[in-house]
């Protein structure tokens, strides 16, 4: 199987409307709020081929806990919020064939869950709604406790991707890398290589989580890097971003527990 690229990241929030305001203030365009059938709601930041998902709990009464080999997306994020607060809770890679991906993971002895399919309505820029549908495959590892990983196969890309939603004041183009931290980097590296379908690829950077080593706290994804068309234009759109060499950095306190790095690419 070829290496899987980043599809999106899930950022768990306490208040989706407030999160949308924060990301909009940093030059991003967000899609309208959408509701999942399993108790969560989201707004998306669509980029060129991948995206950021801002998530909140919509109706806790509709959340079904995981049962054996059935992964619960909503329960995972509810637990993440309770245990860690806001932050990047899930890394999602693209899939051309979810079932083939699950078979490959099983052959590599990864801990996988039953396949999961769902659909929802997506509001279009003209105010209408269209059905979007996805097939998901989940995996996890004790080397990265508290975090979850899955692949996403889209069945209705023409209803999902919209140029108006992919246009951002800060010139954002796509997620180019995600940094994660682990108390045992070697074990995490083995999992991530199998999860991605290749040796540790450029889009996933691993660092040692010294905080977890000292305190036993769950590790997190501390940073995502987003390519922009023009760094000077991004600096103008996000004047509070801090220069860091050939990049601009927005600290985690401003964006729901996630450090954001802008690079020209």
């Amino acid at each position: 199987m070829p290496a899987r690229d980043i599809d999106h990241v899930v950022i768990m929030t306490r208040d989706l409307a407030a999160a949308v305001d924060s990301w909009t203030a940093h030059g991003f365009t967000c899609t309208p709020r959408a509701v999942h059938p399993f108790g969560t709601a989201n707004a998306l930041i669509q980029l060129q081929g991948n995206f950021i998902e801002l998530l909140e709990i919509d109706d806790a009464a509709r959340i079904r806990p995981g049962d054996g080999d059935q992964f619960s997306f909503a329960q995972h994020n509810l637990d993440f919020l309770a245990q860690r607060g806001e932050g990047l809770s899930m890394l999602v890679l693209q899939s051309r064939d979810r079932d083939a991906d699950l078979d490959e993971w099983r052959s590599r002895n990864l801990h996988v869950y039953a396949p999961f399919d769902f659909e929802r309505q997506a509001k279009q820029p003209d105010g209408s709604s269209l059905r979007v549908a996805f097939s998901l495959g989940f995996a996890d590892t004790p080397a990265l406790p508290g975090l979850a990983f899955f692949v996403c196969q889209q069945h209705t890309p023409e209803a999902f991707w919209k140029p108006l939603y992919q246009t951002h004041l800060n010139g954002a183009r796509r997620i180019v890398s995600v940094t994660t931290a682990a108390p045992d980097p070697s074990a995490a590296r083995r999992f991530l290589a199998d999860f991605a379908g290749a040796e540790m690829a450029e889009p996933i950077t691993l660092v040692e989580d010294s905080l977890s080593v000292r305190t036993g706290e769950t590790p997190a994804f501390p940073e995502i890097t987003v390519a922009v068309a023009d760094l000077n234009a991004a600096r103008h759109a996000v004047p509070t971003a801090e220069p860091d060499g050939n990049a601009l950095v927005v600290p985690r306190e401003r964006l729901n527990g996630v450090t954001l790095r802008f690079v020209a690419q």
Side-chain angles (χ1 to χ4, degrees):
M1 297 284 289
R4 302 171 184 90
D5 200 357
I6 293 173
D7 185 80
H8 68 282
V9 293
V10 178
I11 298 176
M12 188 59 194
T13 76
R14 292 188 178 88
D15 183 334
L16 183 59
V20 166
D21 287 345
S22 295
W23 288 79
T24 300
H26 287 81
F28 290 100
T29 299
C30 296
T31 65
R33 185 178 187 271
V35 177
H36 294 138
F38 36 77
T40 53
N42 71 13
L44 307 181
I45 299 171
Q46 292 190 1
L47 303 168
Q48 301 299 316
N50 55 32
F51 63 96
I52 297 167
E53 178 177 8
L54 305 176
L55 190 78
E56 74 172 356
I57 300 301
D58 174 65
D59 184 357
R62 301 181 70 182
I63 297 177
R64 294 185 178 181
D67 181 16
D69 69 346
Q70 188 67 54
F71 185 87
S72 174
F73 174 94
Q75 186 65 54
H76 167 79
N77 283 287
L78 181 64
D79 292 344
F80 183 93
L81 189 64
Q83 295 164 10
R84 291 200 55 83
E86 295 185 315
L88 205 163
S89 62
M90 310 180 85
L91 172 63
V92 191
L93 302 185
Q94 295 174 1
S95 177
R96 298 178 182 176
D97 186 332
R98 183 272 317 276
D99 293 336
D101 290 335
L102 287 175
D103 287 341
E104 183 190 346
W105 289 348
R106 292 187 187 100
S107 74
R108 294 173 179 266
N109 297 315
L110 296 192
H111 181 221
V112 301
Y113 295 84
F116 182 76
D117 301 308
F118 84 99
E119 59 184 60
R120 64 171 174 83
Q121 292 296 307
K123 184 171 285 188
Q124 306 298 296
D126 64 3
S128 64
S129 293
L130 291 175
R131 166 186 169 272
V132 290
F134 312 90
S135 290
L136 312 180
F138 293 91
D140 62 15
T141 174
L144 290 160
L147 303 178
F149 305 83
F150 65 97
V151 289
C152 178
Q153 180 182 358
Q154 285 206 32
H155 299 293
T156 54
E158 69 286 347
F160 183 86
W161 296 108
K162 297 299 171 182
L164 184 63
Y165 294 151
Q166 293 171 288
T167 304
H168 305 278
L169 186 63
N170 58 27
R173 299 174 63 186
R174 63 180 287 112
I175 301 169
V176 294
S177 69
V178 176
T179 299
T180 186
D184 182 354
S186 61
R189 185 178 298 275
R190 288 192 297 271
F191 167 80
L192 291 170
D194 289 337
F195 171 64
E199 291 302 317
M200 286 293 290
E202 184 177 341
I204 306 173
T205 302
L206 187 65
V207 297
E208 182 172 356
D209 186 353
S210 58
L211 178 64
S212 291
V213 172
R214 293 197 307 270
T215 67
E217 293 184 8
T218 305
F221 294 96
E223 183 177 276
I224 62 175
T225 299
V226 172
V228 296
D230 184 316
L231 205 58
N232 287 328
R235 184 179 290 108
H236 180 74
V238 192
T240 57
E242 301 168 1
D244 181 17
N246 294 323
L248 294 174
V249 176
V250 180
R252 63 190 305 274
E253 293 79 14
R254 298 179 187 170
L255 289 175
N256 306 103
V258 177
T259 299
L260 182 67
R261 179 177 293 269
F262 291 110
V263 296
Q265 195 174 105

